[in-house]
Amino acid sequence: MDKAAKSANKEAEQIIDWGKAHGIETCFDRAEKIKPCPIGASGACCKVCHMGPCRLVGKNAEEEARGVCGATLPTVAARNFLRMIAAGTAAHSDHARGMAFTLLAVATGQAKDFKITDVRKLYRVAGYLNIEFEGREVNAVAKDVAEKLIEDFGRQRGEINYLKRAPKKTQERWRKWGIIPRGIDREVCETMHRTHIGVDHDPDHLLTQGLRTALADGWAGSMISTDVTDILFGTPQPVKAEASFGIFKKDEVNLVVHGHEPLLAETIVDVVSEPEMTAYAKSKGAKGINLAGMCCTANEVLMRHGIPTAGGFTNQELGIMTGLIDALTVDVQCIMPAIADLSKKFHTKVITTSEKAKIQGAMHIEFDEHRAKEIAREIIKIAIDNFQNRKAYGEHITEKFPVIAGFSHEYIEYMQGGKWRASFRPLNDAIIAGRIRGVVGLAGCDNPRVPSTGLHRFLATELIKHDVLIVSTGCGAAACGTAGYLTPEMALENAGPGLREVCEAIGIPPILHLGACVDNSRILTIASAMAEEGGLSDEIGGMPAVGIAPEWMSEKAIAIGCYFAASGVPVIFGGESPVEASKEVTRILTEVWFERFKGALHFEPDPEKILEMALDYIDKAREALKLKKYEPGKFGAERVLMDMAARREIERAAKPHIGIY
Ligand code: SF4
Ligand code: MSK
């Protein structure tokens, strides 16, 4: 990896250089100009009241430094960390709230532009919620499901609905340590209360509430969002698409959807190919309309429709600098406000669409699910009208890579045995036999403070070389996509012998794109299914599995890391630790959490060490489970993996085809 480069993505680097030559500043330049304050970055600065900010620094700061109120360094570092968890949980969960209310509006006939696309998934979710669905009208079931899910946000007492989707033993650990979330809003609210001046000062007690809040994200907010999105727009199954800046077309209107919430993007997908839209584009001199995505909205429509992606977080300004984007819609989360000013140097129209988020200098067209199509058409027309204003100014890129995305929990189950024998048995068996050494969730943002996407690329190639299967989400998945890593060929060229065999037998890439950052919930349910299948750990903790977020930057990433740790997955984040200043808080996140939950949260800036730690965790878990010692190319006995032909054979012999999973 070229450490001097701003991005590991050659095409991104080319645009950054072009920007430099044209005096255009991006996040990469600003990251160089603004160095993080070391006191704040390490968690030692408290500004929760106006007697501060208090900087708890100096020799023996851990024992001796005090804020004006007397707060110690561990208290301050833990409080700061907790507030990140609360913000991350709030972000995912507020997104989920919108999805759940949309499902209710669809079920009650108030959002006529949407429908229940995946009835099978609706029934599956109804089953989790103990809602009767046999013989009932679909919308009646959907209404009950939506109302039940909405309860999770405002519940004051009791337990979140999806608790029972976790393995029993995992639940027992949560119960023992008092971290079962009651309701999403209650946990976020209590975390904000406890971190107000003069409330909770015990770092362990604070961080325990942090885990409860994070679980409300993973097992409620994020999981609700994933499920409702599947119900409304379809559960993903593998789909071919393309990634990187070459997806923009010179002779077509380029409309890009960016942000997180899929409602507007899905509606645009729905209406963009209407004959009137195409005719209107042609009347303005374009050959057609090219819909593309960025960041996690891109992941949502890539997973379900094969809409091409221009990549993750750090690509948003660079996309505008191609000069080819006619309109860019943004809603919530991970949108750089810089794009509004930047767009003025080009012809791009930046359109904010959420009632929750505006950017000065951007156009605002508020999305309303009750008239979704009308708004989508209005936005498409703005992009078309703007096509004529395109100038030659910008760094046009032609490079793009094929991508296979769309690996949902349900599809992964299906691909291991077809509709009638769907299970996680082959995956567990491949791990038991040492063909697959372990599983890594490679997730999180991309970051201009490191050669952006470079850590994802390094870890992806090294891990699969060591026979580690990767499941990827968010901008980590986008980083792999724009590197050309999301194809089955990648396995042939780079994977270790065992993983390669598995990928060839099933016909999958060694890196499975599972969706947006809210879809990390899919990893939780996959891990639960593996525990239930047997032969490995009977809880999520203790699996040969690790989470890695090498380039994280958002508070959502912290919430995700914590819900994985609480669920039993050791997690390694890249970059400097936000609790570095306190040895005690670091000890709680690593040693104490591992003892209690078999999960942990580490921060490690060196990618080589991240790799080493991940493999070490995997090997130690294999040893504890008494699995065959991993040796490349040497496998134990296992059941024969089922290939596509065998799967079809079973299906033919069974009932008529009624859907993919
Ligand atoms: Fe300082 Fe205490 Fe106020 Fe924090 S809460 S700013 S440590 S006085
Ligand atoms: S968008 S949270 S930069 S993954 Fe989901 Fe990407 Fe991180 Fe945002």
Side-chain angles (χ1 to χ4, degrees), residues 46-54 56 66-71 76 79 197-198:
C46 181
K47 55 186 184 69
V48 304
C49 91
H50 203 49
M51 293 187 284
C54 298
L56 277 67
R66 296 285 183 272
V68 174
C69 67
V76 166
R79 271 199 309 221
I197 177 178

Side-chain angles (χ1 to χ4, degrees), residues 92 95 217 222-223 225-226 229-230 236 259-262 294-304 332-334 405-408 442-445 471-478 512-523 556 560 563-564:
H92 279 148
H95 165 172
D217 177 352
S222 288
M223 209 171 275
S225 178
T226 297
T229 309
D230 286 354
H260 280 79
E261 293 175 349
M294 252 181 209
C295 245
C296 279
T297 306
N299 288 326
E300 298 277 7
V301 286
L302 166 70
M303 292 280 284
R304 295 187 177 83
V332 291
Q333 302 165 25
C334 307
F407 291 92
S408 52
L442 186 61
C445 328
V471 287
S472 194
T473 58
C475 294
L512 304 180
H513 189 326
L514 261 58
C517 45
V518 280
D519 292 326
N520 278 305
S521 62
R522 297 193 202 272
I523 303 180
K556 288 185 294 171
I560 294 167
Y563 71 62
F564 273 110

Side-chain angles (χ1 to χ4, degrees), residues 163-175 528 531-532 538-540:
L163 182 78
K164 59 174 183 295
R165 291 177 73 177
K168 281 243 148 35
K169 243 178 143 176
T170 306
Q171 293 179 41
E172 279 160 22
R173 282 185 193 272
W174 293 342
R175 195 152 278 132
S528 302
E532 202 171 297
D538 55 358
E539 59 179 321
I540 297 177

Side-chain angles (χ1 to χ4, degrees), residues 505-618:
I506 311 181
I508 55 165
I511 304 169
L512 304 180
H513 189 326
L514 261 58
C517 45
V518 280
D519 292 326
N520 278 305
S521 62
R522 297 193 202 272
I523 303 180
L524 296 176
T525 58
I526 288 169
S528 302
M530 287 167 70
E532 202 171 297
E533 190 65 54
L536 297 171
S537 177
D538 55 358
E539 59 179 321
I540 297 177
M543 289 279 181
V546 174
I548 307 181
E551 299 185 28
W552 75 282
M553 59 86 203
S554 81
E555 291 161 318
K556 288 185 294 171
I558 291 290
I560 294 167
C562 290
Y563 71 62
F564 273 110
S567 302
V569 181
V571 179
I572 312 162
F573 273 39
E576 303 300 334
S577 164
V579 295
E580 176 76 32
S582 170
K583 287 190 201 70
E584 176 59 2
V585 173
T586 306
R587 188 184 72 84
I588 296 169
L589 263 48
T590 51
E591 295 166 31
V592 175
W593 285 3
F594 193 75
E595 239 167 63
R596 291 177 188 165
F597 308 106
K598 296 196 178 183
L601 188 52
H602 299 269
F603 292 90
E604 173 52 63
D606 180 348
E608 306 263 0
K609 283 199 189 138
I610 295 178
L611 176 67
E612 208 178 289
M613 285 166 79
L615 294 177
D616 191 52
Y617 262 123
I618 286 173

Side-chain angles (χ1 to χ4, degrees), residues 187-208:
E187 302 313 342
V188 172
C189 179
E190 185 169 319
T191 293
M192 294 309 286
H193 176 195
R194 287 208 206 183
T195 54
H196 184 274
I197 177 178
V199 186
D200 195 359
H201 297 106
D202 177 331
D204 186 22
H205 195 238
L206 278 161
L207 291 163
T208 302

Side-chain angles (χ1 to χ4, degrees), residues 15-26:
I15 302 175
I16 295 165
D17 288 346
W18 180 89
K20 212 163 225 129
H22 290 78
I24 294 175
E25 191 186 73
T26 62

